């Protein structure tokens, strides 16, 4: 297990790549997206780098668009892809609740609450009839073929929901409702959306786009908290041999001989959430990606044992810190990342949620 000094060293590796305006790109000079950016901010809080974390959250406040979204990618302050991605937009709620649980800074929550509210209102508006959430929408006038950088609301939805992305949104909605309770500002639409989304994630896999060759589609329903108990154990067992490479970590894609640190650490958190003893071993397995300076290579191609791409990525370092925290329980933020201590559970009784599938009728027939 990493020491506290090693975790602080890894947090410093993230800070070293943070841009002057607070943005945290994938690696120096590369793209910034708000999901990975927020993940890094949470890791900085765990690592004790609070000023850098605050600069990252200030960046979120400054760069949010009026509709509640952020551009999909920004490179050194310039929008590279202006479209909206739903799970990226939602993830700020996880970061703000995480910050609250670790730092107990109510003034921070009060400052960020309007930003979270705009973001989750937008995400809920992108929910599809079966309960999943459309993964993105273009930034431009409805029906237009405008490109990145065009000024206009994102009104052109992309048909289809991603299982991993919607699972992350499920976690974000739980965190958002917990923040709403803290702020005494109830959000019943979020609760309804979360309940419908949870049902879709558990019972309507066929409604999501098929990305089953990606390991995230395998473990994210567990990590996001929608699937737990025996169903989670069965899900993990079903694809373990497909994605886990003993002694190295987790494949990003089942068809490629490439293990990645971020996916490995996310699976570690999912395993820890269901008390699977393999979590600690898997965390130890991926430490071959660590450098002497505390940074992390993104991945490894095997059997050649070549690090690829040739980069030290902030999101990998952040996933390592957050997984370490979940395994050790060092901060109260660990319960947010595992989903075990968010404090919000959505109803799964069919009569309590507005389903647009046949499940309600089928349950009565049975």
């Amino acid at each position: 297990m990493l020491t506290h000094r090693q975790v602080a060293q890894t947090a410093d590796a993230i800070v070293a790549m943070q841009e002057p305006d607070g943005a945290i790109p994938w690696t120096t000079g590369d793209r910034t997206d708000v999901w990975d950016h927020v993940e890094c901010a949470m890791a900085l809080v765990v690592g004790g780098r609070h000023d850098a974390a605050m600069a990252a959250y200030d960046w979120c406040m400054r760069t949010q668009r009026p509709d509640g979204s952020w551009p999909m990618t920004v490179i050194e302050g310039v929008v590279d892809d202006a479209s909206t991605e739903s799970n990226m937009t939602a993830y700020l709620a996880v970061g703000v609740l995480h910050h609250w649980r670790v730092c107990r800074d109510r003034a921070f929550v009060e400052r960020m609450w309007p930003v979270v509210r705009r973001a989750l209102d937008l995400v809920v508006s992108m929910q599809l009839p079966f309960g999943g959430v459309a993964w993105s929408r273009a930034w431009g006038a409805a029906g237009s073929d405008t490109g990145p950088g065009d000024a206009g609301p994102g009104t052109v939805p992309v048909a289809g929901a991603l299982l991993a992305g919607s699972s992350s949104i499920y976690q974000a909605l739980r965190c958002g409702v917990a923040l709403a309770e803290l702020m005494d500002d109830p959000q019943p639409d979020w609760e309804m959306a979360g309940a419908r989304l949870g049902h879709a994630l558990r019972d309507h896999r066929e409604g999501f786009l098929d990305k089953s060759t990606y390991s995230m589609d395998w473990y994210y329903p567990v990590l996001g908290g929608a699937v737990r108990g025996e169903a989670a154990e069965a899900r993990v067992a079903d694809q373990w041999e497909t994605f886990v490479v003993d002694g190295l970590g987790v494949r990003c894609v089942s068809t490629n001989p490439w293990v990645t640190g971020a996916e490995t650490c996310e699976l570690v958190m999912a395993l820890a959430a269901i008390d699977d003893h393999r979590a600690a071993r898997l965390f130890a397995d991926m430490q071959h990606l660590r450098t002497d300076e505390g940074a992390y290579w993104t991945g490894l191609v095997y059997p050649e044992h070549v690090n690829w791409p040739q980069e030290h990525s902030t999101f990998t370092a952040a996933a390592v810190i957050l997984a370490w925290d979940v395994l050790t329980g060092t901060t109260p933020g660990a319960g947010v990342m595992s989903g075990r201590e968010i404090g919000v559970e959505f109803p799964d009784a069919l009569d309590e949620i507005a389903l647009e599938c046949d499940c309600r009728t089928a349950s009565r027939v049975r």
Side-chain angles (χ1 to χ4, degrees):
M1 189 58 63
L2 299 178
T3 66
H4 285 79
R5 185 190 67 80
Q6 288 173 314
V7 170
Q9 187 183 34
T10 298
D12 286 337
I14 297 173
V15 174
M17 290 186 269
Q18 189 172 27
E19 296 173 356
D21 65 353
I24 305 177
W26 288 9
T27 192
T28 301
D30 204 346
R31 70 185 68 184
T32 298
D33 71 74
V34 72
W35 196 103
D36 290 293
H37 172 90
V38 169
E39 180 188 40
C40 288
M42 291 190 288
L44 292 176
V45 169
V46 173
R49 303 305 183 255
H50 295 283
D51 288 347
M54 193 61 67
Y57 284 116
D58 286 345
W59 180 90
C60 292
M61 292 185 64
R62 291 195 310 274
T63 58
Q64 188 184 42
R65 297 184 291 204
D67 73 340
S69 70
W70 289 266
M72 192 175 293
T73 58
V74 176
I75 299 178
E76 297 184 320
V78 177
V79 173
D80 179 62
D81 185 342
S83 53
T84 297
E85 187 161 335
S86 55
N87 75 298
M88 291 182 181
T89 299
Y91 204 56
L92 180 65
V94 181
V96 173
L97 183 65
H98 180 272
H99 191 282
W100 163 249
R101 292 288 172 80
V102 177
C103 301
R104 293 289 167 173
D105 182 351
R106 188 177 180 90
F108 169 82
V109 179
E110 290 174 349
R111 189 166 71 252
M112 297 300 297
W113 175 237
V115 187
V116 171
R117 193 172 55 210
R118 285 191 295 270
L120 288 184
D121 281 345
L122 172 63
V123 170
V124 167
S125 76
M126 296 173 69
Q127 190 164 38
L128 300 173
F130 83 98
V133 179
W135 77 272
S136 74
R137 67 184 190 182
W139 184 254
S144 73
D145 192 26
T146 55
D150 289 306
T155 54
V156 186
V158 175
L162 296 172
L163 188 65
S166 286
S167 296
S168 178
I169 291 169
Y170 183 82
Q171 179 190 24
L173 286 170
R174 291 177 67 204
C175 291
V177 171
L179 289 169
E181 292 175 356
L182 176 65
M183 298 303 297
D184 193 23
D185 186 7
Q187 301 293 324
D189 288 349
W190 300 357
E191 296 182 53
M192 183 67 72
R196 293 179 59 228
L197 177 56
H199 175 72
L201 291 167
R202 287 185 291 271
D203 297 317
H204 290 289
R205 173 65 187 270
E206 76 284 353
F208 295 92
L209 298 173
D210 183 10
K211 301 291 182 181
S212 56
T213 58
Y214 289 83
S215 58
M216 287 192 297
D217 257 32
W218 166 48
Y219 62 73
Y220 240 101
V222 179
L223 178 59
V227 177
R228 292 290 165 94
E230 292 183 0
E233 294 170 2
R235 186 175 188 87
V236 168
D238 184 53
Q239 295 293 316
W240 185 270
E241 297 298 329
T242 300
F243 289 109
V244 178
V245 182
D246 190 43
L248 293 179
V250 174
R251 290 183 179 186
C252 178
V253 184
S254 63
T255 55
N256 296 337
W258 179 47
V259 295
T260 50
E263 278 77 3
T264 302
C265 288
E266 287 178 337
L267 178 58
V268 166
M269 289 187 278
L271 294 174
I274 60 173
D275 295 320
D276 190 316
H277 69 278
R278 294 173 292 186
R281 187 189 75 200
L282 194 60
F283 186 71
D285 285 348
M286 64 78 59
Q287 295 304 320
H288 61 87
L289 296 172
R290 185 179 179 88
T291 71
D292 292 340
E293 296 74 30
Y296 281 82
W297 296 101
T298 298
L300 179 84
V301 177
Y302 63 91
E304 294 84 357
H305 285 266
V306 174
N307 290 117
W308 186 86
Q310 286 289 300
E311 66 180 21
H312 301 142
S313 51
T314 57
F315 58 81
T316 302
V320 169
I321 293 174
L322 295 173
W324 172 85
D325 194 32
V326 168
L327 289 173
T328 62
T330 298
T331 80
V336 174
M337 299 313 299
S338 69
R340 298 174 73 164
E341 297 176 12
I342 291 175
V344 170
E345 299 294 340
F346 296 130
D348 57 8
L350 298 182
D351 287 339
E352 296 182 42
I353 55 180
L355 299 177
E356 296 188 34
C357 56
D358 295 328
C359 294
R360 186 197 303 264
T361 302
S363 69
R364 289 173 176 165
V365 170
R366 289 196 299 268

